[in-house]
Amino acid sequence: MKSLFPYLAILLEVAIIVLFGLFVQYEKDQNIHQQPNSTTSTAVDRFLELYPLFQDVHVMIFVGFGFLMTFLKKYGFSSVGINLLIAALGLQWGTLVQGILHSRGQKIHVGIKNMINADFSTATVLISFGAVLGKISPCQMLIMTIIEIAVFAANEHLVAEIFMASDIGASMTIHAFGAYFGLAVAGILYRPGLRRGHDNNESVYHSDLFAMIGTLFLWIFWPSFNSAIAEAGDKQYWAIVNTYFSLAACVLTAFAFSSLVDHRGKLDMVHIQNATLAGGVAVGTCADMAISPYISMTIGSIAGMVSVLGFKFLTPLFATKLRIHDTCGVHNLHGLPGVIGGLAGIGAVALKASNTSTPAMQAAALGSSIGTAVVGGLITGLILKIPLCGQPPDENCFDDSVFWEVPQWREHDFHFPELDGHSQLEPEF
């Protein structure tokens, strides 16, 4: 990392600054300045109207995703810090790539929707980051960010402009895409040495509590994520309401199934941190459709159930049989619920809840998102295997000290044995 990472980061930032100088401008003056005494709604009015939604999405990207991944006991610095690094790179690169695709050879005029969409493109990489968390270097993450956002933008353009499919909450283009891209990368970078586990690949009490903070931020702001770029009026209203009730129903189902799958009936914090969010993912594709609140609640309930079952049964199966180690379980939070969302979108369009697409185009969008993600992830994984990328050895996985200066004393380095009359959280003197 020491020899390559800083130079690569500086090189990427300089290149992006040059590209911004060549291609990016503010929105045209006539569009953003309202004439005196004019009552006509202008772009600046829309900017200020959408800015609160942009703030919500921004908090999800930088706080929600970052803290959700702090569950590893010795990887908190990297979870939050590398999240910040790749999100900052991603939003700049996403602005350029998406802008070039949509500007049709013209200058890129940055408005509030460009900023929201740039955050969305970054979310894709952060989802994939969860699949390889603790096993790759910051240098590898910079490379992965550049490649993945380019592939994501191409697929999104195909889904929105060619297939004309509806996916307002991006169940397919962000969540399913990001999950299967990350799983493909994780499969290529599979480490046989980690097959039997790793001492640092576990949580402690306070790290799980920090991760739950990320869950709460994501859960609270998810209606903004699904409605931020929806058409103002009924569609934006439906997106907010449908997501709100889908998330609420998902929580109860996730708690119930977490208890059901444990032989002692106890709750698993991994399930609660992740499966309670699956409803927001699954309802995304049809969030802005008039599907009725009870349908959105049904979708959320199914997503919560499937997510818990995925954590319980599929994650171990992927690790042992498919040689895919999914650190955060992104397949269960984003992949499976994203597929559920895509299928729900096909059904909603078939039942005439929306007239903006056809079932065939919705199905094509789902297939394109998964297929493009897998192919792109496999190619990216092969590129990241190049030795110059600085992948840490097996014994240094899931440990901040490889890439960070860390305090010499860390609370979890001390063991608090459980003795008669002593709590597990109470040190023995």
Side-chain angles (χ1 to χ4, degrees):
M1 171 186 169
K2 185 177 180 180
S3 60
L4 183 60
F5 169 71
Y7 302 110
L8 179 60
I10 292 170
L11 176 64
L12 289 173
E13 187 57 41
V14 169
I16 288 174
I17 289 172
V18 172
L19 291 172
F20 263 67
L22 293 174
F23 297 110
V24 179
Q25 295 179 348
Y26 297 124
E27 283 191 319
K28 293 181 180 179
D29 290 344
Q30 61 266 30
N31 290 334
I32 64 172
H33 292 301
Q34 186 172 358
Q35 297 299 321
N37 302 320
S38 172
T39 59
T40 304
S41 177
T42 62
V44 72
D45 299 318
R46 186 61 175 156
F47 189 102
L48 295 175
E49 179 184 333
L50 288 177
Y51 188 72
L53 295 176
F54 163 74
Q55 287 179 304
D56 293 350
V57 173
H58 220 46
V59 169
M60 292 178 69
I61 297 299
F62 287 92
V63 180
F65 278 104
F67 275 90
L68 181 62
M69 291 185 278
T70 58
F71 66 95
L72 292 172
K73 65 181 183 181
K74 293 187 178 181
Y75 212 67
F77 284 11
S78 296
S79 298
V80 177
I82 304 303
N83 184 92
L84 172 62
L85 172 71
I86 60 180
L89 171 63
L91 68 88
Q92 297 174 76
W93 180 237
T95 300
L96 280 169
V97 176
Q98 291 177 307
I100 290 170
L101 284 173
H102 295 292
S103 63
R104 294 177 174 84
Q106 305 298 316
K107 291 283 188 177
I108 302 168
H109 299 282
V110 176
I112 190 67
K113 284 197 173 183
N114 302 81
M115 295 164 63
I116 293 172
N117 281 319
D119 273 8
F120 284 169
S121 67
T122 297
T124 309
V125 186
L126 297 181
I127 291 167
S128 301
F129 179 39
V132 295
L133 185 71
K135 297 170 292 187
I136 66 175
S137 68
C139 184
Q140 287 176 303
M141 276 311 307
L142 292 178
I143 297 170
M144 180 170 152
T145 300
I146 294 297
I147 299 173
E148 182 170 0
I149 287 180
V151 178
F152 158 77
N155 177 68
E156 184 192 43
H157 183 77
L158 177 66
V159 168
E161 303 297 330
I162 307 301
F163 296 146
M164 301 294 288
S166 179
D167 190 26
I168 196 63
S171 298
M172 300 181 288
T173 54
I174 291 179
H175 297 287
F177 180 94
Y180 290 107
F181 191 102
L183 291 173
V185 172
I188 294 294
L189 300 181
Y190 179 74
R191 296 165 174 262
L194 300 181
R195 186 169 185 174
R196 294 185 178 180
H198 192 288
D199 290 342
N200 292 333
N201 187 22
E202 60 183 27
S203 65
V204 290
Y205 192 88
H206 65 263
S207 66
D208 268 335
L209 194 58
F210 272 111
M212 195 64 195
I213 293 172
T215 298
L216 292 174
F217 271 102
L218 291 169
W219 198 91
I220 290 167
F221 291 125
W222 213 294
S224 296
F225 188 95
N226 282 356
S227 65
I229 58 172
E231 183 181 326
D234 286 344
K235 290 192 173 185
Q236 196 165 52
Y237 162 73
W238 292 332
I240 293 171
V241 172
N242 287 332
T243 307
Y244 179 80
F245 286 111
S246 181
L247 284 165
C250 176
V251 169
L252 270 73
T253 307
F255 268 81
F257 273 84
S258 180
S259 177
L260 282 172
V261 298
D262 184 83
H263 69 279
R264 294 173 297 177
K266 291 189 174 183
L267 299 171
D268 189 330
M269 184 55 88
V270 173
H271 302 159
I272 306 310
Q273 289 163 356
N274 294 277
T276 53
L277 300 171
V281 176
V283 80
T285 296
C286 55
D288 66 339
M289 302 180 190
I291 57 174
S292 188
Y294 81 93
I295 296 295
S296 64
M297 295 165 75
T298 303
I299 293 171
S301 297
I302 293 171
M305 174 189 69
V306 169
S307 182
V308 170
L309 295 177
F311 275 104
K312 182 66 176 180
F313 301 110
L314 289 183
T315 297
L317 181 67
F318 273 41
T320 57
K321 302 299 183 183
L322 300 182
R323 299 169 63 88
I324 298 174
H325 180 262
D326 180 4
T327 307
C328 293
V330 299
H331 184 235
N332 312 307
L333 171 54
H334 300 281
L336 292 174
V339 172
I340 291 171
L343 296 175
I346 295 170
V349 170
L351 295 174
K352 307 301 182 183
S354 172
N355 57 6
T356 60
S357 181
T358 66
M361 291 298 99
Q362 292 293 129
L366 179 59
S368 168
S369 296
I370 296 174
T372 305
V374 171
V375 173
L378 292 174
I379 295 171
T380 302
L382 292 172
I383 294 171
L384 297 183
K385 290 194 77 170
I386 298 173
L388 289 175
C389 294
Q391 189 172 8
D394 290 354
E395 60 270 21
N396 291 335
C397 287
F398 314 110
D399 194 337
D400 280 331
S401 63
V402 180
F403 302 112
W404 297 82
E405 291 288 344
V406 298
Q408 291 185 354
W409 181 86
R410 289 184 293 194
E411 185 178 347
H412 51 254
D413 289 336
F414 288 78
H415 300 285
F416 304 111
E418 184 177 10
L419 302 175
D420 290 339
H422 290 275
S423 166
Q424 279 188 293
L425 301 178
E426 181 180 295
E428 180 189 13
F429 296 98

